[in-house]
Amino acid sequence: MLANYGFFLLYLCFICCFYGFLAAIGAAVWRHRRLYLSSKLAVTSSCVFVVIAAGIMIYSFYQRDYSIAYIAKNSSNDLPSLFTLTAFWSSLEGSHMLWTTLLAIVATIAVWTHSKDNEHVIPYVLAALQAVLAWMFYLAISHSDPFVASLPAPPDGRGMNELLQNGYMAIHPPLLFIGYTCLAVPFAYSIAALLYGDITEGWLKAVRRWTLVAFVFLTAAITLGGRWAYVELGWAGYWAWDPVENSSFMPWLMCTALLHSLLVQDKLGHLKRLSIILGIAGFFMTFVGTFLTRSGVVSSVHSFAESPIGPNYLAYLAGLMLISVSIFAFRAPSILPADTEKVWGVSKESALVMTQFLLLSFAAIIFIGTMFPIVTEALTKQRITVQAPYFNLFAPWIGLGFIVSITMGQLLRYQSAKIPYGKQIIFGSVAVAIPLSFILIYFGDVMSTVKTSSLIAQLVGLYLSSWAISCLCGDLFIKMKDLNFNYGIFFKRNLAYFGGWLAHIGAMIAIIGFMGNYRGIEKRVSLNAGQSFEFYGYRFEMDHGIVVKTEKNATLYTAPMKVYHGSDLIYDLHPAQSKYPTKDQTFNEIGIDGNMWHDIYVVLVDFDKTDGKRVTFQININPTVRFVWLAIMIICAGGLVALFDRYRGNKSRDVVAGEWEVAV
Amino acid sequence: MKRLIVWIGLVSGALAAAQTPATAPASQSTSPTDDAAAAAAAGEGSMEGEPSDQQLAVPSDSSMVNDLSAPGGVDDARFRDVAKELRCPTCTGLSVLESEASFSVQIKDQVREQMQLGKNKEQILNFFTDRYGPWILREPPAKGFSLLAWLVPIALLCLGPLVIWFTVWKRRVHISTHGVRGNEPIIAEMQERLQQLKLKQGKGGV
């Protein structure tokens, strides 16, 4: 019964958004204030309705109402409380609904919190956001209705996907969708700027803020997804370059490029059209990603026809592209750069352009790699594979480019080729980097974990990133020195700089961490109860075989393992296989522990089914994985710090906001 | 805000608690597929730690540690090197080395067989491409249409900076603003007028 109300509410949302879209266009054309307010209320009410619908869904999940097909498919009687909530977004219809709900919330926040000087573009923003929302609601009621009934209700559900029953998977999708939906705001503002015909300071302020929020959420979400893969899947890595991961990474790259072009636009009034293109493209990529992963296109072009949502997405993508490109083509000439003569030369803005080039070419390479199998199969009928080795070949070169361009970008000043204290910082860092990289090489144990072919690459990479870190620290020192070490002023006026600086330091530490991916050692070993095994200076001991225990809804077959260094017991690992009542398959629960420099990663591969006394383990030593987690935290902190910067406008031309002609 | 979160947490907890009596028998009735493993944990009460007597009875000196990474006298490093290049046919994004799917295990066995025949890496990879097509390799082959997958990114990375250099950096940008003026000329003009005004006033004063 409740399910019917849920569907009705979604239908109502669609009607509200469609009306709101038309009203917003009317408000923009006639500059009609009443219509504008009405459109604003339409998006607000659709937000309220969809939140209620989501509430109904969650309530039904907790009621274990299996008369709703989606719940019967994704939940079961023995599902623990937390996962009963997260089962909501564990499959297609639910995650589409979560996305839609979040988009409605974000759209409502965006149109109610805009600053006064954006009032002239808000009708266009409303129109763009509600066009997207209306389409999402249309999909929800037509092809991906979560409230479809399955009568008579089965006594028990089929159970949630076991791989997703993990804390990281509980928060990864909502964070990722928040990131995606926040990118909708820069998109809407870009369309609005084109239709209005100018970019103002208020526009820049709003877009910068929303892009930063999206950046922080996307960074955190992508990393949590990686962490989930690391602790749950058991192939000893966190990033496999599979299409799903790639499709979340491409919007991140676009979003980061947008942040940098906004900076140039802010300081010099240039690159306005690039910002607009990136604002549109970033949002577009979120849908491309969803299309790729949802339609089944990636696994093969032939699976495309199986899912009804696929062709709809394709039509939508084509429509979105066509409309955005034609709006851009007709209206872009009205977006003028600042009226200054500009020679780019060697300067901070040029370094920023280089960084954007690298970010965008990285996105392009990932896009090519992801799409290539599909294109090849469609054109030549031959099936090929593009997987991690392909991407891993290009990534180090992009990383090298990042090290250089980030360092130069941080050191150089706007419109000037002169670096203050340039010689001291750059050549001083050449010296400082020697001990720093030596520490990294010694503790990171590069010599014994590396494959011989990549030794030089590792050494060069570690040296260069140490150099970059040293240069960045030098830059911060000079900045402080210029302020006479007045921290009050620094933290009051320079939060944007400091946030960027943190994020860049984070990026360098992340690069050091990523280099650990290219080394590492592994061993597969079979132990009897009571035996021990020496590997990489550790002694792994399994004193008794398999222990069976029940945890929530799963049965765990654990092989407790003690790790000694010399004679000291340092880690107690519990690698296990878990078995869920709803599936025959078993799943890995990995025993992970370690220090800053390397993780010990033990997978229970197999065990003797007769008495559980003989167990086969896969032991991996993964260097510098914790550097990556630390780095991402620093990057997110940088994004948050920059968000708190009190924005001061710069060189963009400002235009007085248009008055309402029909203000009644 | 905090209160709201706590409140939601409590409500959801209560809802879940209402469900637990129904779930308990269900979870007990399910039995593990391999009853032997269940026997290993004879007393379900002692969940953790304490090894049962049964387990202690196993003679620990029966066989030495068995290093499984190189069964059949195959060089481990070389085996990994080859297995890393072949995709797991049933999973997304993994090599056969990283996967324990039955298909991957078969392929790994085949790799070992081929290595025992004395074939080198290239020959083994050729053996697999003949059987399964280029699809089995994790990288696109550098010939025919797939060559594009390699050429386009390399061209992009090499030529991109040059294109940017010649089109943007080298060009002196002057923008016609269609009669809309920026701040700077206006400010300059106003300052000039101010200057003139001051000069006039100065003269008048004398």
Side-chain angles (χ1 to χ4, degrees), chain A residues 407-467:
Chain A
T407 314
M408 292 328 283
Q410 196 83 40
L411 290 178
L412 283 160
R413 296 291 181 259
Y414 287 104
Q415 296 187 300
S416 146
K418 202 174 163 294
I419 302 175
Y421 303 95
K423 267 181 200 156
Q424 286 96 319
I425 293 179
I426 291 175
F427 293 110
S429 298
V430 168
V432 171
I434 293 172
L436 197 59
S437 57
F438 185 75
I439 293 172
L440 290 174
I441 290 164
Y442 177 76
F443 286 104
D445 211 1
V446 174
M447 293 308 176
S448 63
T449 52
V450 78
K451 290 127 200 150
T452 41
S453 54
S454 60
L455 178 64
I456 292 174
Q458 290 274 337
L459 296 182
V460 169
L462 287 174
Y463 180 78
L464 278 179
S465 31
S466 326
W467 172 77

Side-chain angles (χ1 to χ4, degrees), chain A residues 59 62-64 77-79 81 156 234-235 240 242-243 270 333 336-345 350-351 353-354 357-358 361 364-365 368 372 375-376 379-380 382-390 393-394 397-398 451 522-533 544-550 552 555 557 574 579 581 584 605 607 609-614 616 618 651-653, chain B residues 12-13 15-16 19 22-23 26-27 30-34 36-38 40-41 44 46-51 54-56 58-60 62-69 76 80 84-85 87-88 91-95 97-98 100 108 133-141 145-150 152-154 156-157 160-161 164 168-169 171-178 180-185:
Chain A
Y59 177 74
Y62 277 107
Q63 288 294 311
R64 302 191 193 272
N77 284 332
D78 55 357
L79 203 61
S81 162
D156 195 357
W235 42 268
D242 84 47
H270 284 263
L336 300 170
D339 184 19
T340 47
E341 276 217 351
K342 176 83 195 96
V343 183
W344 288 80
S350 299
V353 170
M354 269 330 281
F357 166 74
L358 285 169
S361 19
I365 291 172
I368 292 170
F372 205 74
V375 175
T376 314
L379 291 183
T380 66
Q382 193 186 35
R383 294 187 70 191
I384 59 151
T385 305
V386 181
Q387 283 183 358
Y390 175 84
L393 208 71
F394 289 109
W397 297 102
I398 305 272
K451 290 127 200 150
E522 54 206 338
K523 197 88 182 166
R524 177 166 293 205
V525 73
S526 216
L527 293 178
N528 284 327
Q531 281 184 332
S532 67
F533 167 69
H544 42 85
I546 294 287
V547 177
V548 184
K549 54 181 172 177
T550 335
K552 290 178 191 154
T555 315
Y557 300 94
H574 297 275
K579 168 92 182 59
D584 286 335
V605 180
F607 56 90
K609 302 289 193 297
T610 52
D611 60 356
K613 291 289 184 293
R614 187 173 175 77
T616 306
Q618 164 90 21
K651 286 209 174 178
S652 320
R653 285 174 316 122
Chain B
S12 55
L15 282 172
Q19 294 299 319
T23 63
S27 64
T30 55
S31 61
T33 41
D34 34 70
E44 265 196 56
S46 64
M47 290 285 170
E48 230 178 298
E50 293 304 307
Q54 207 184 350
Q55 280 172 319
L56 287 173
V58 173
S60 56
S62 58
S63 70
M64 273 320 291
V65 174
N66 188 359
D67 193 340
L68 280 190
S69 46
D76 184 43
R80 286 177 185 288
K84 233 173 35 195
E85 301 274 324
R87 71 166 282 170
C88 159
C91 15
T92 47
L94 293 183
S95 70
L97 185 65
E98 294 153 328
E100 288 300 323
K108 279 190 276 192
W135 177 76
I136 198 74
L137 299 177
R138 297 183 80 201
E139 288 176 336
F145 184 72
S146 309
L147 192 61
L148 275 180
W150 295 102
V152 173
I154 292 169
L156 183 71
L157 286 179
I164 293 178
V168 183
W169 284 4
R171 203 178 62 190
R172 189 171 279 268
V173 186
H174 186 78
I175 297 106
S176 156
T177 51
H178 305 287
V180 182
R181 291 192 304 177
N183 292 331
E184 287 84 0

Side-chain angles (χ1 to χ4, degrees), chain A residues 170-442:
Chain A
I171 49 173
H172 163 75
L175 287 187
L176 191 68
F177 288 157
I178 293 175
Y180 282 178
T181 48
C182 287
L183 278 181
V185 182
F187 162 77
Y189 271 89
S190 299
I191 296 286
L194 285 171
L195 290 175
Y196 183 77
D198 204 349
I199 283 187
T200 59
E201 275 183 28
W203 185 92
L204 200 123
K205 184 174 158 185
V207 173
R208 176 184 180 271
R209 184 156 295 162
W210 281 98
T211 313
L212 260 176
V213 174
F215 171 82
V216 172
F217 275 106
L218 282 177
T219 313
I222 293 171
T223 317
L224 287 171
R227 243 199 104 97
W228 167 77
Y230 189 65
V231 302
E232 192 75 4
L233 297 183
W235 42 268
Y238 43 84
W239 193 257
W241 297 105
D242 84 47
V244 184
E245 292 169 334
N246 291 350
S247 63
S248 69
F249 190 42
M250 285 187 279
W252 184 89
L253 289 166
M254 299 271 179
C255 167
T256 314
L258 173 58
L259 279 178
H260 290 83
S261 93
L262 287 177
L263 191 57
V264 177
Q265 182 188 330
D266 178 25
K267 301 291 182 193
L268 305 165
H270 284 263
L271 299 189
K272 285 180 180 172
R273 289 176 211 171
L274 182 64
S275 299
I276 286 178
I277 291 174
L278 288 176
I280 294 171
F283 182 63
F284 186 72
M285 284 322 280
T286 65
F287 280 109
V288 171
T290 322
F291 167 65
L292 285 178
T293 52
R294 288 300 155 71
S295 63
V297 148
V298 169
S299 46
S300 161
V301 257
H302 302 302
S303 65
F304 176 57
E306 287 166 17
S307 147
I309 209 166
N312 275 285
Y313 251 99
L314 195 62
Y316 169 71
L317 281 178
L320 188 69
M321 194 58 161
L322 192 73
I323 293 170
S324 306
V325 167
S326 41
I327 289 177
F328 186 82
F330 283 110
R331 302 289 300 176
S334 64
I335 307 288
L336 300 170
D339 184 19
T340 47
E341 276 217 351
K342 176 83 195 96
V343 183
W344 288 80
V346 179
S347 60
K348 190 173 198 131
E349 58 267 28
S350 299
L352 283 164
V353 170
M354 269 330 281
T355 315
Q356 286 179 71
F357 166 74
L358 285 169
L359 286 164
L360 294 178
S361 19
F362 202 7
I365 291 172
I366 294 172
F367 187 72
I368 292 170
T370 314
M371 296 299 285
F372 205 74
I374 307 169
V375 175
T376 314
E377 195 183 342
L379 291 183
T380 66
K381 302 276 177 283
Q382 193 186 35
R383 294 187 70 191
I384 59 151
T385 305
V386 181
Q387 283 183 358
Y390 175 84
F391 300 102
N392 281 342
L393 208 71
F394 289 109
W397 297 102
I398 305 272
L400 182 72
F402 278 142
I403 292 177
V404 175
S405 63
I406 286 178
T407 314
M408 292 328 283
Q410 196 83 40
L411 290 178
L412 283 160
R413 296 291 181 259
Y414 287 104
Q415 296 187 300
S416 146
K418 202 174 163 294
I419 302 175
Y421 303 95
K423 267 181 200 156
Q424 286 96 319
I425 293 179
I426 291 175
F427 293 110
S429 298
V430 168
V432 171
I434 293 172
L436 197 59
S437 57
F438 185 75
I439 293 172
L440 290 174
I441 290 164
Y442 177 76

